[in-house]
Amino acid sequence: MIKAIFFDVDGTLLSHRTKQIPQDTKRVLRELQKNGIKIFMATGRHSTELSRLPVNGIEFDGYITLNGQLCLDKKRQIIFGKPFSKEITRKLVTIFKNKEFPLALVEAEKIYINFVNDAVCKAQESISTPIPDISIYDGRNVYQATTFFEKNEEARLQNYLPKECRLVRWCRYGVDIISVEGGKVEGIKYFCNLYGIAQNEIMAFGDAENDIDMIEYAHIGVAMGNAQDSVKKISDYVTSDIDDNGIKNAIQFFNILR
């Protein structure tokens, strides 16, 4: 029996064609809660970005942000955080200062970038989000970093990254840098422990490479019809497109609302 469902945001809950959560998706989310099933956001985004998006009409039971590095309660207060180590932060700050790559550093309260190029503009436009402010590092904890280039350039960046980091891509031009021990599954485990929910009682929806770990981990992992091929390949089920009632159709297919 499914007791909790984890939803990616961009391309899963939020359509960037309509700039909204589909109405059928909203209705299903409310029905899930009415039936005692907990619903969670699981995103690579920062809480300040969520506040600017049309995803605030429903109060989720919790929020996994920054690909599992920060978890928030239903009031969006931080209840779990896992920043980079001082050594990893030092190496990322060196990359940030050298400006060979556009690099955004993500702290608990803000996101800022070292410089902006065309890849940054295209990536941010694809998720309907403003470009981060250009700023400097001031010594605070860093939970995630984001850089901007296409997949064929990843090998060049890997030469600069600490071995304790890995890349999780969220669009053609945007890729997050997180700890090798991080990922959305870390946030899922936190909430499952908090609420006493077993792995075989969870379901997850996603569409991008940064959703692969949670789709594989969940008892039922669903790829949206608009998902990347690599996500569809590892999922238990491929539903229809986000704009074609994808979430609703999967919930009905698995008879989650009995």
Side-chain angles (χ1 to χ4, degrees):
M1 179 180 175
I2 297 299
K3 295 183 179 179
I5 307 181
F6 296 83
F7 299 93
D8 171 54
V9 175
D10 297 287
T12 302
L13 285 177
L14 178 63
S15 168
H16 289 288
R17 183 181 68 83
T18 65
K19 314 296 185 186
Q20 298 290 331
I21 297 178
Q23 289 302 315
D24 274 348
T25 298
K26 290 181 180 179
R27 283 191 284 269
V28 167
L29 294 177
R30 294 189 180 100
E31 283 300 311
L32 290 169
Q33 287 184 313
K34 286 179 183 177
N35 282 265
I37 298 172
K38 294 190 178 298
I39 60 172
F40 299 90
M41 275 191 188
T43 179
R45 283 188 180 267
H46 192 273
S47 59
T48 57
E49 294 179 303
L50 294 179
S51 66
R52 293 193 293 261
L53 294 173
V55 295
N56 300 307
I58 295 172
E59 186 179 271
F60 287 76
D61 293 290
Y63 300 80
I64 297 168
T65 67
L66 306 184
N67 293 300
Q69 307 307 107
L70 272 179
C71 291
L72 316 176
D73 64 16
K74 61 176 57 180
K75 300 300 181 184
R76 300 196 186 184
Q77 300 300 306
I78 295 173
I79 53 175
F80 169 79
K82 193 174 183 180
F84 285 126
S85 68
K86 290 182 178 179
E87 180 61 18
I88 292 176
T89 300
R90 184 185 65 78
K91 292 179 180 179
L92 289 173
V93 169
T94 298
I95 297 171
F96 182 86
K97 290 179 177 178
N98 288 343
K99 296 185 178 181
E100 185 163 348
F101 305 96
L103 186 70
L105 298 180
V106 186
E107 300 176 0
E109 304 297 333
K110 64 179 179 177
I111 307 170
Y112 50 97
I113 196 167
N114 54 354
F115 72 93
V116 174
N117 64 9
D118 189 51
V120 177
C121 296
K122 289 178 178 178
Q124 295 302 102
E125 182 181 6
S126 75
I127 58 171
S128 310
T129 300
I131 294 168
D133 292 334
I134 295 174
S135 188
I136 59 173
Y137 176 65
D138 62 2
R140 301 185 188 191
N141 283 337
V142 176
Y143 290 83
Q144 180 174 282
T146 302
T147 191
F148 303 85
F149 50 76
E150 296 194 60
K151 197 173 184 66
N152 60 6
E153 298 180 80
E154 285 185 9
R156 189 163 65 97
L157 175 66
Q158 290 282 12
N159 294 328
Y160 293 84
L161 284 180
K163 64 181 183 298
E164 300 88 356
C165 290
R166 67 184 178 99
L167 302 178
V168 285
R169 182 166 290 276
W170 44 270
C171 79
R172 177 178 175 181
Y173 296 100
V175 59
D176 292 329
I177 302 168
I178 64 173
S179 165
V180 291
E181 298 174 350
K184 294 184 180 183
V185 169
E186 292 306 302
I188 290 175
K189 289 179 178 177
Y190 173 82
F191 279 117
C192 285
N193 288 334
L194 183 65
Y195 290 109
I197 297 170
Q199 184 178 354
N200 64 1
E201 296 173 324
I202 66 173
M203 186 177 189
F205 287 79
D207 73 302
E209 287 184 12
N210 65 340
D211 299 316
I212 287 176
D213 65 337
M214 74 168 181
I215 288 175
E216 289 184 317
Y217 182 79
H219 180 61
I220 301 174
V222 179
M224 303 300 290
N226 49 281
Q228 298 168 4
D229 288 342
S230 58
V231 182
K232 292 178 179 179
K233 189 180 298 184
I234 57 86
S235 67
D236 298 305
Y237 180 71
V238 178
T239 188
S240 50
D241 190 278
I242 182 174
D243 293 310
D244 188 26
N245 302 324
I247 288 176
K248 175 186 175 182
N249 291 339
I251 294 295
Q252 290 180 337
F253 179 84
F254 287 101
N255 196 26
I256 302 301
L257 292 171
R258 301 179 190 279

